[in-house]
Amino acid sequence: MKQQANGEIRIGFYICHCGHNIAAMVDCPDVAKYVEKLPGVTLSRDYKYMCSDPGQELIQKDIREFKLNRIVVASCSPLLHEHTFRCATEAGGLNPFFFHMVNIREHDSWVHTDRKDATEKAKALARAAIGRVAHHEALEVKKVPIHPDVLVVGGGIAGIHAAMTLANAGKKVFLVEREPSIGGHMAKFDKTFPTLDCAACILTPKMSAVGAHGNITLWSYSEVTKVDGYVGNFTVTVKRKPRYVNEELCTGCQECIANCVYKEPKFLDEFNEGLGKRKPIYISFPQATPQVVLIDPEVCLNFKRGTLTDKCKKTCVEACGEKKAIDFKQTEEIKEIKVGTIIVATGFQAFDAKRIPQYGYGVFPNVYSALEVERLVNASGPTGGEVILRDGRHPKAIGIIHCVGSRDKKTNRWCSRVCCMYSLKLAHLLKEHTEAEIFNFYIDMRTPGKSYEEFYDKLLEEGVHFIRGRVGEVTDWAMTPEEEGKLVIRVEDTLAGFVRRIPVDMVVLATGLEPQSDAQAVRRMFNMSCGSEGFFLERHPKLAPVNTFTDGIYLAGACQGPRDIPDTVAQAGAAAAEAMVLIDKGYIEQEPNTAYVLEEECSGCKSCIPLCPYTAITFDEAKEKASINEALCKGCGTCVASCPSGSIAQRLFEDDEVFSEIKGVLAYE
Amino acid sequence: MSKEWKPRIVAFFCNWCTYTAADLAGVSRLKYAANIRVIRLMCSGRVDPQFILDALARGADGVLIGGCHPGDCHYVEGNYKMLRRFQMLKRMLKDLGIEDQRVRLEWISAAEGEKVKRVVNEMVGQVQKLGPLGIPEKFEEWDKEMEHFAAQVAEKDAASACACEPQGKPALATA
C-alpha cells in the first residue's frame, strides 16, 4: 500500500511560532534547521502562524512545487488542529493521513521554563514525527450513518430549551427527567433577575409546549440507567419509575387528590423545599408537566397497610371513576431506545448549608436557604407569598449572607456566579413583601451581565444595606436587650474596620451551586470527564464549550458549571445546534485507526477474541484465523498489543510507526 | 556526557485521558521537567510491552504510561488489559535488574493536569537519583564481552583441532 511510485519519501516539515506562544520558549528556526538534515526531509520551514490561511496555503503550494508526499507540522495539540492540517494536506493533493502533527505548545513551550531544554525537546519530538511519517500509508475515512433521534437528559430549563429547539427543527427528541415534572430549579423560583419577570410566567408555557409537542417523547419520573454504543448509534436504557397512575389515562383533573382519605396534606412537600405539605397522591405543582398525578408508596395507606384493611377506602380510585387511571399494580418499566446524539443537562444541586454549622441552618428555625425563600415569597408557594417565619412571626429585619458554600477553601472554592444576583433579587422581593430592614453581607459584589450592575444600583437606592465582610457566625446568644429573641449575625465590616453584631429576625443563606451528588455515576455512564470540582468537563473551555470528549454527547446548563438562566438557555441552544450539525450531515467520519489481522502470521490461538470489548473479533473457522469486523472496531489497539505472534496491526498506530517514534524521541544531540 | 546527564523519560499517553490532561497542563501553564517525551496512543491498552522494552533498550532511563482511571476507559477496559500486562512486565524487569521506579503506570483523567505535573516531576526526581540506566552502553559492553568470548572459543577450537581429537559439536552451537 506504500503509495509512492518510486518509493522516495519527500517530507515537508513546518514549525509554527504561534506568535510568541511557541517562539518565546522554542528556537523555531534552529529546530527547522535541525530537521532539514534529517533523512527524507525535502523541505523545512518555520512560520509565524501555520493554522492561518497563508500557513495552510503554504503547505498546499509546497506539496505541488516540491512534490512532497509527507507533511509534518509542529505546533499545538493535535486535538486542536490535526483536522485543520489534514484538510490542508488533502487540499494539496495528498491523502490526509500522510500528515502527522507534533505537539510543541501544550506539551513543550507552555510547560517548560528553560529555552534550551524546550528547544531540544522540540527537536526530539520533531525527529520522532519525521521517522514515523515515513511509514504512513494512505487511508480511507469510513462513513457511518447517524441515527436522527436525540436524547435529552434532564428537564430543567436547559433540557427544555434544547429539546424544543431540536423538536422545532423537526428532530425527534426523547426528554428524560428524574422528577415527576419537568421544570427543574427554575420552576421553583419566584422572579428572575434582573428583569423581575416571574419565572413561572416565562417557563410554564415552554413546559406545556414540550408536553404537547409531537416530536418530543417526554418521560418524566424516569432515569437513564445504561448507555451503549457510540456517536450516531447509541442504545440507551431508561428506567420508568412507577407513578401508580396511568399517564395515558390521567387527565390531571386532580379529583383523586381532593378525595384522598387524608383530608389534610400531611407529608413533606419536596417541591416546596419541605416548607409545605402534600397528600400521598399529589401533583408537584399546579403547572407540572406532564399533568399527571402520582402516588407516593411510602405514605399511601394502600401500599403501607395493604388493601385488606379498611383504613384505605380507595377513595381516589372511586373519584377517578370511569377514567380508571389509578393502577396500584403498576411496576417499573424498562425502555430501550436508539438515538444518534445525547444532550446531558442534568443541572446542579444547591449547597447543603448544614455543612457550615456556624450559620445555624437546621438549628435555628429562622435560618433559611435561598431556595426555601424562593418558595416563601412565591405566590403559589406554601404561604401564598406571605413571608411568615417558621415560628409564625413576620420578620422586621432580615440578613442575607452571600457566598455560603462558595469561594471558601473549606467547602467549595469556586464562585457560584448567580448568588450575588439572586441575593439582590431576594432582597428586593423580601423588602417588597415585608418592608423589613434588609442587610446583605457580601465578600465582593459580582454583577457581570446585561443590566445586572444597574439592578445593583437600583437596590442601593431602595435602601437595602450592604455590609462587606464574610459572616463569622449566626448566634442566638444576646449581649444586649435589643438582641434578645433575635438571631445575631457577627461579621467583620471590612469597610468600616471593626466587628459588628447585627440582630435580625430572619437569616437567608445564599447557598452556592454544586455538581449533582450522583454526577460521578452519570459521568461514567455517558463516558464523560469531570473537572476537579466535579462539574462535567467540556471539550475545550473556549472553543468547544458544549462538546464533551465523547463524540455525540453534548452538555447544556449548570451540569457543566454554575451559570444563570440566560447563559443556560444560550448553551442549550448551542448544544442543540451541535447535535443538529451531526444529524443533518447524516453521517460521521470515523478515524481509520482500526485494527486488522495479518492473516499469514495469525496462528489462530484465539487469545485476542475475549480481549475485544466490542466483540469485533471473531474466529474464521474455515481459515482458522482471527478476523476483525471493521465496522465494530473502535481502534483502541488492545488486541494489537496483546497478540502473541504480532499478527494484528492497527492503522495509524502501526508497530513501525510507534517504534520509529520511540527511536526518534530518544535521539538527543 | 555524564557531567550533564539528564534522565530521558519516554511516556505513552492515551488519547482520551492522559494526553488531554497533559494538554490541560499546558493550557493551564503548569511547569514541569522537560525530560519527558510523550508518544500518543489511542488507549493505554495499545501499549505493547515491547514498546517499553524498546524504549529502555534505546536509552530511555524511565518509561511512564498514562491511562484513564479504572472504569473510565474510553474503550471500556483497555486500561485493565494494560494493568495486567504491566504487572507481568514488572516482574520481568525486576529479574533484569531494572529498578521499580523506572517504569510507572499512572491513571490520569482529562481533568488532572495538576497530576501530570506532579507525576512527571516526581518520576524525573526519582530517576535522577537512580542515575542512568544506560542499556545501550551495556549492550556495547556485552557485545565486546561476547566477541572476546567467541574469540577465545575460536582459539581453543583451533588449538584442539591441531591436537587432532575433534570434539564433536562446538560448545557454543547450542547457546
Side-chain angles (χ1 to χ4, degrees):
Chain A
M1 266 184 35
K2 290 232 159 63
Q3 199 214 36
Q4 264 29 69
N6 58 358
E8 193 203 354
I9 301 286
R10 297 175 67 83
I11 303 171
F13 176 80
Y14 301 85
I15 181 165
C16 176
H17 292 212
C18 195
H20 286 302
N21 283 307
I22 294 170
M25 195 46 72
V26 173
D27 187 343
C28 298
D30 188 37
V31 176
K33 226 191 301 166
Y34 169 79
V35 172
E36 200 161 29
K37 298 193 192 84
L38 294 176
V41 177
T42 304
L43 172 155
S44 176
R45 296 184 194 274
D46 62 304
Y47 191 76
K48 196 131 199 173
Y49 288 106
M50 279 313 293
C51 60
S52 65
D53 277 351
Q56 294 184 49
E57 276 156 24
L58 182 66
I59 297 176
Q60 296 164 29
K61 204 176 97 235
D62 286 348
I63 291 175
R64 287 188 280 267
E65 208 166 298
F66 295 93
K67 298 198 168 46
L68 302 178
N69 53 28
R70 299 287 190 282
I71 301 296
V72 174
V73 175
S75 57
C76 49
S77 169
L79 304 181
L80 198 65
H81 271 317
E82 188 173 51
H83 185 70
T84 313
F85 293 121
R86 275 185 183 166
C87 289
T89 307
E90 196 171 21
L94 282 183
N95 182 288
F97 297 96
F98 283 135
F99 164 78
H100 191 68
M101 193 154 180
V102 188
N103 185 348
I104 56 162
R105 195 179 71 177
E106 282 85 345
H107 285 199
D108 191 1
S109 69
W110 277 353
V111 288
H112 301 319
T113 44
D114 185 293
R115 193 173 158 85
K116 198 169 142 273
D117 286 350
T119 305
E120 201 169 281
K121 179 168 176 178
K123 285 180 187 172
L125 293 174
R127 192 186 174 109
I130 298 291
R132 173 193 226 278
V133 82
H135 296 281
H136 277 212
E137 291 175 7
L139 297 171
E140 285 287 321
V141 170
K142 200 169 51 177
K143 286 180 181 173
V144 180
I146 290 228
H147 196 289
D149 295 356
V150 188
L151 167 71
V152 178
V153 188
I157 180 61
I160 289 173
H161 188 77
M164 280 304 284
T165 310
L166 288 160
N168 285 339
K171 315 297 172 205
K172 292 254 181 286
V173 183
F174 292 92
L175 177 58
V176 175
E177 165 61 46
R178 169 153 58 183
E179 301 296 327
S181 167
I182 57 169
H185 280 98
M186 189 178 170
K188 297 185 179 183
F189 300 161
D190 180 36
K191 300 271 165 47
T192 54
F193 61 76
T195 45
L196 294 175
D197 37 5
C198 102
C201 314
I202 53 177
L203 178 67
T204 50
K206 261 179 116 80
M207 285 164 58
S208 21
V210 165
H213 208 297
N215 284 338
I216 301 179
T217 308
L218 170 59
W219 283 343
S220 66
Y221 215 44
S222 305
E223 280 177 51
V224 174
T225 54
K226 203 166 144 221
V227 180
D228 282 324
Y230 52 94
V231 53
N233 297 284
F234 291 106
T235 305
V236 181
T237 312
V238 180
K239 178 176 84 183
R240 305 214 58 201
K241 295 179 274 190
R243 325 166 74 103
Y244 306 104
V245 173
N246 188 318
E247 234 172 280
E248 260 84 73
L249 302 177
C250 176
T251 58
C253 69
Q254 303 182 27
E255 281 300 313
C256 48
I257 302 180
N259 284 292
C260 178
V261 282
Y262 284 99
K263 288 287 163 260
E264 289 301 317
K266 225 185 125 181
F267 307 101
L268 229 54
D269 178 358
E270 299 87 355
F271 185 78
N272 280 322
E273 297 291 309
L275 293 175
K277 297 270 196 284
R278 62 161 170 80
K279 293 183 179 181
I281 187 161
Y282 67 103
I283 190 156
S284 314
F285 55 105
Q287 304 95 328
T289 308
Q291 275 283 315
V292 176
V293 297
L294 73 157
I295 296 173
D296 180 355
E298 295 292 310
V299 291
C300 172
L301 284 180
N302 186 56
F303 286 93
K304 276 182 78 181
R305 310 258 167 95
T307 33
L308 291 175
T309 55
D310 50 0
K311 275 266 191 188
C312 176
K313 303 210 165 44
K314 292 198 180 179
T315 46
C316 52
V317 181
E318 215 170 275
C320 193
E322 277 307 293
K323 291 184 290 255
K324 293 201 170 78
I326 295 174
D327 175 9
F328 289 116
K329 293 201 174 66
Q330 202 176 53
T331 50
E332 197 175 277
E333 224 183 318
I334 303 292
K335 297 256 187 190
E336 205 178 87
I337 51 171
K338 296 226 178 274
V339 294
T341 44
I342 297 174
I343 294 174
V344 178
T346 50
F348 67 93
Q349 76 180 17
F351 176 80
D352 177 10
K354 286 201 185 98
R355 282 171 58 194
I356 306 183
Q358 62 269 36
Y359 289 168
Y361 182 76
V363 179
F364 306 124
N366 293 339
V367 177
Y368 288 82
S369 76
L371 259 184
E372 286 171 344
V373 180
E374 292 281 357
R375 297 310 303 156
L376 211 55
V377 293
N378 196 309
S380 66
T383 56
E386 201 183 341
V387 181
I388 311 171
L389 297 177
R390 286 196 176 100
D391 58 12
R393 288 187 299 139
H394 289 84
K396 297 271 176 301
I398 302 170
I400 303 178
I401 302 177
H402 290 219
C403 297
V404 177
S406 303
R407 306 183 66 199
D408 181 358
K409 279 186 183 161
K410 292 194 190 105
T411 53
N412 298 326
R413 294 185 57 173
W414 59 86
C415 167
S416 295
R417 280 187 63 184
V418 294
C419 325
C420 279
M421 283 306 292
Y422 81 58
S423 297
L424 292 178
K425 174 192 77 182
L426 289 177
H428 171 86
L429 294 175
L430 286 167
K431 192 149 186 78
E432 202 174 66
H433 283 66
T434 63
E435 308 233 310
E437 287 286 305
I438 315 263
F439 300 88
N440 269 278
F441 302 90
Y442 68 101
I443 310 176
D444 296 293
M445 193 55 79
R446 296 192 166 172
T447 56
K450 203 173 175 183
S451 309
Y452 288 10
E453 185 67 17
E454 292 90 321
F455 188 72
Y456 176 34
D457 280 344
K458 182 176 128 115
L459 263 285
L460 287 171
E461 280 163 26
E462 279 177 13
V464 172
H465 305 285
F466 289 89
I467 296 172
R468 186 171 176 273
R470 191 187 268 285
V471 170
E473 69 169 338
V474 175
T475 173
D476 60 351
W477 183 64
M479 279 173 75
T480 59
E482 296 88 72
E483 290 178 1
E484 219 54 71
K486 299 223 171 202
L487 291 169
V488 180
I489 296 174
R490 264 170 38 90
V491 58
E492 183 192 352
D493 186 332
T494 55
L495 292 181
F498 61 93
V499 176
R500 294 174 70 174
R501 294 172 61 89
I502 315 272
V504 294
D505 304 302
M506 178 188 191
V507 173
V508 181
L509 302 178
T511 43
L513 274 53
E514 274 186 340
Q516 292 271 19
S517 55
D518 57 353
Q520 288 294 331
V522 173
R523 170 185 78 86
R524 286 227 163 85
M525 196 156 60
F526 291 99
N527 209 342
M528 300 186 289
S529 300
C530 280
S532 51
E533 68 302 294
F535 290 109
F536 300 144
L537 194 65
E538 65 285 344
R539 190 172 204 134
H540 191 280
K542 293 175 188 73
L543 301 177
V546 300
N547 302 63
T548 65
F549 288 100
T550 306
D551 288 333
I553 296 185
Y554 306 98
L555 298 173
C559 62
Q560 188 243 336
R563 55 173 40 79
D564 56 17
I565 295 166
D567 285 4
T568 298
V569 171
Q571 203 192 10
E578 287 285 349
M580 275 190 276
V581 167
L582 278 188
I583 300 167
D584 288 350
K585 199 173 167 196
Y587 61 87
I588 41 153
E589 289 175 348
Q590 266 188 352
E591 186 89 348
N593 54 13
T594 46
Y596 59 98
V597 177
L598 306 164
E599 278 197 0
E600 61 280 14
E601 321 234 326
C602 175
S603 66
C605 73
K606 300 186 190 175
S607 52
C608 52
I609 292 169
L611 289 177
C612 181
Y614 306 101
T615 58
I617 314 178
T618 48
F619 189 67
D620 186 334
E621 295 289 350
K623 289 190 198 157
E624 296 199 319
K625 311 270 178 201
S627 146
I628 294 175
N629 181 343
E630 252 192 70
L632 294 176
C633 174
K634 299 283 167 298
C636 64
T638 299
C639 57
V640 187
S642 313
C643 177
S645 58
S647 51
I648 308 181
Q650 183 187 12
R651 295 181 186 93
L652 276 178
F653 295 90
E654 302 273 359
D655 279 352
D656 288 352
E657 293 168 357
V658 181
F659 281 125
S660 27
E661 255 190 279
I662 296 171
K663 190 174 158 195
V665 292
L666 287 167
Y668 285 38
E669 281 175 67
Chain B
M1 166 177 155
S2 57
K3 248 184 276 167
E4 249 200 288
W5 177 77
K6 282 180 201 148
R8 310 166 177 199
I9 291 169
V10 175
F12 298 97
F13 283 176
C14 85
N15 182 60
W16 303 100
C17 289
T18 315
Y19 193 88
T20 313
D23 275 5
L24 178 66
V27 173
S28 322
R29 309 295 201 277
L30 306 176
K31 303 295 176 201
Y32 56 81
N35 316 45
I36 183 165
R37 310 280 185 262
V38 178
I39 294 176
R40 179 167 72 116
L41 296 170
M42 293 314 284
C43 179
S44 54
R46 176 67 182 95
V47 180
D48 192 324
Q50 290 183 74
F51 294 167
I52 302 166
L53 295 173
D54 190 63
L56 296 174
R58 285 188 186 278
D61 300 298
V63 175
L64 172 64
I65 302 130
C68 308
H69 282 272
D72 288 355
C73 177
H74 188 82
Y75 302 102
V76 189
E77 50 191 23
N79 51 357
Y80 286 109
K81 309 285 162 56
M82 176 57 218
L83 178 64
R84 265 153 51 176
R85 255 175 254 148
F86 182 76
Q87 302 290 15
M88 282 170 65
L89 184 74
K90 274 279 207 181
R91 271 155 61 180
M92 196 178 112
L93 291 173
K94 205 172 173 188
D95 291 345
L96 291 172
I98 293 171
E99 297 91 338
D100 222 27
Q101 294 105 308
R102 290 196 191 269
V103 181
R104 184 163 171 173
L105 174 65
E106 283 289 344
W107 310 134
I108 303 176
S109 85
E112 295 176 318
E114 194 66 47
K115 189 169 177 184
V116 171
K117 171 189 163 179
R118 179 171 61 77
V119 167
V120 170
N121 283 342
E122 227 172 69
M123 187 159 174
V124 169
Q126 284 169 346
V127 174
Q128 185 91 44
K129 264 187 220 152
L130 290 173
L133 180 63
I135 292 195
E137 290 79 31
K138 280 180 195 158
F139 270 135
E140 268 172 40
E141 224 168 88
W142 294 332
D143 282 349
K144 261 186 229 156
E145 270 175 37
M146 283 306 287
E147 273 164 33
H148 181 69
F149 186 49
Q152 271 188 334
V153 171
E155 225 170 77
K156 210 176 162 193
D157 275 0
S160 58
C162 282
C164 72
E165 214 15 68
Q167 298 261 320
K169 282 176 188 167
L172 252 186
T174 49

